[in-house]
């Protein structure tokens, strides 16, 4: 099944909200997976290198429990991708 931009973005945002509400290992892994999927979509379908670079910042921040920075980055990405 080929996912649409909205499906991939919704999945990412759902994982991000879960992680920010409860930054557990499992939620971090889910966010990491959703980030990789969205990054792949952004590169292959949107050809947006700048957004892909921003998405690549998320996994290390999640690993170090930098929830404030992750929250800010997710807000910026949401505006960029929904706009």
């Amino acid at each position: 099944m080929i996912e649409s931009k909205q499906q991939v973005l919704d999945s990412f945002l759902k994982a991000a909200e879960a992680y920010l509400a409860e930054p557990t290992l499992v939620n971090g892994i889910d966010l990491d997976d959703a980030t990789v999927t969205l990054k792949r979509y952004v590169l292959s379908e949107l050809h947006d290198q700048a957004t892909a670079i921003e998405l690549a910042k998320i996994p290390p921040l999640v690993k170090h429990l930098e929830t404030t920075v992750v929250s800010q980055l997710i807000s910026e990405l949401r505006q960029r991708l929904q706009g």
Side-chain angles (χ1 to χ4, degrees), residues 1 12 16 19 21 26 30-31 35 38 51-53 76 79-80:
M1 178 178 93
F12 169 76
Y19 171 77
V26 172
D30 290 343
L31 177 55
T35 300
L38 180 57
T51 299
I53 289 168
E76 292 169 10
Q79 286 181 330
R80 181 184 293 202

Side-chain angles (χ1 to χ4, degrees), residues 4-79:
S4 71
K5 175 183 174 184
Q6 195 60 51
Q7 289 171 315
V8 175
L9 182 58
D10 287 347
S11 178
F12 169 76
L13 293 174
K14 182 179 175 185
E17 289 170 12
Y19 171 77
L20 292 171
E22 191 175 345
T24 63
L25 178 61
V26 172
N27 287 340
I29 291 169
D30 290 343
L31 177 55
D32 186 59
D33 290 346
T35 300
V36 169
T37 301
L38 180 57
K39 183 179 168 189
R40 186 178 304 122
Y41 183 89
V42 163
L43 286 171
S44 66
E45 299 297 323
L46 304 179
H47 309 288
D48 185 347
Q49 186 72 31
T51 299
I53 289 168
E54 293 301 304
L55 284 163
K57 295 177 183 179
I58 293 175
L61 293 170
V62 168
K63 181 179 178 182
H64 295 290
L65 298 174
E66 297 286 344
T67 55
T68 303
V69 181
V70 170
S71 177
Q72 182 180 19
L73 187 54
I74 287 168
S75 293
E76 292 169 10
L77 287 163
R78 178 183 312 203
Q79 286 181 330

